[in-house]
Amino acid sequence: MNVIGHFVGGRRSRGTSTRHGDVFDPATGRRTAQVELAGGDDVAAAVQSAERAARTWRDASLAKRTAVLFAVRELVNARRDELAELITAEHGKVLADAAGEVQRGLEVIEYACGVPSALRGGFSENVSTEVDSYSLRQPLGVVAVISPFNFPVMVPLWFVPVAVAAGNAVVLKPSEKDPSAALLLAELFVEAGLPDGVFNVVNGDAEAVDALLDHPAVRAVSFVGSTSVARHVYQRGTAAGKRVQALGGAKNHMVVLPDADLDLAADAAVNAGFGSAGERCMAISALVAVEPVADDLVARIASRMAALRTGDGRRGCDMGPLVTAAHAARVHAYVEAGVAAGAVPVVDGRDVTVDGDPSGFWLGPTLFDRVTPQMSIYTDEIFGPVLSVLRVDSYDAAVALVNANPYGNGTAIFTNDGGAARRYQHEVEVGMVGVNVPIPVPMAYYSFGGWKSSLFGDLHAHGADGVAFFTRGKVVTSRWLDPRHGGVNLGFPTQT
């Protein structure tokens, strides 16, 4: 049995912990590897490696840092198929979706290549007589990144390139469910010329997370995952004096107004609801149909779902399995709860015929109609291929429904009325908004993050917020004496 270890000090390594977790191929249900679950000593070794590297990396020129990142970009691009295959083998998403994930990660690397512009400070001459002031941004030191199972390449690349470009050293703790892609990423960074220890990977579970949150040398933590864990990370990390950005769960709504192009809306609902088996923090899981369009829209969505092929992601299928048997059982239980609560199962994914091993972790695309806000399939983040349709009578009722939800990650509105779209983007209490775009994930030079229970902390991922998170500001006020200076003045300095 292959044992997956860690990446510390520029090379793969084995830790001291005796605990292991199982890694599965979700499309077959077979165990393919074991992964070491780091203990406190393993985390301390990775942090120590990062500490040593941070002392010299922070002094590397911007030219050196960008040269490394340009090389990383080329290497990731050259190995994108291999990365996608690793993602599919351990997560289960289809190869085309995995390739798209790698591409979105590449966009952040490309943004980080331009970090010298983002790190520029300001300068003011003669703020007082012959006194100048200027600002600059400096790295924090050692930072930690804790990433989820659903995007084992893209989410680490939201943070690591920006943190490294800003002069920090990183310890990444990927999900123990699909750890292999993170190790390959670390190898590619080192191959690109990143000094040993600047990018480390420790595999593990909650014990490793808490060790990172408690370690005094870790200055900042970036996290993506469920809201309950995000809250824990934020509270424990900030209590230890760390800077924390913790991106949590979501219940993303897609509002369809009566004037919308219903074919476009139906395509978008299927794509955004069932891509990656619904295991996206930006997946559309609640479709809010403003009457009288619900019957027509539901019929169009159901007809498209009938053509979807669920199966092994390496066989050209449309949708793959769920990531683990336990998660598949959890999502199945939500489908059963929706039926029991009185929602109408227009398409029941429990009846799916799969193109794959029957032992895989399967659930087909599922569509519920006449869902109410009290049902668990609406209130909870299911994180599976379950799309719930709620019917409302007006635009105002739709906005009230979205704003009443405790999550505020992403939302979309489908309409041909520019005034309604503009009003929606102004009124909705959500961090990322799409207009006729179902998954409004920002480009790398903007920042990703939600509102309310979808984010703990002030700064979002990548873009300008990412640079601000991984640096701290400093202002210098200086006077250089010239030959005219002389005399003593004990008075309080004033701006004259």
Side-chain angles (χ1 to χ4, degrees), residues 262-274:
L262 294 188
D263 283 323
L264 176 65
D267 288 341
V270 172
N271 295 338
F274 307 122

Side-chain angles (χ1 to χ4, degrees), residues 22-40:
D22 293 328
V23 178
F24 291 90
D25 179 343
T28 66
R30 288 191 286 272
R31 187 177 69 168
T32 57
Q34 285 190 311
V35 59
E36 290 192 354
L37 301 178

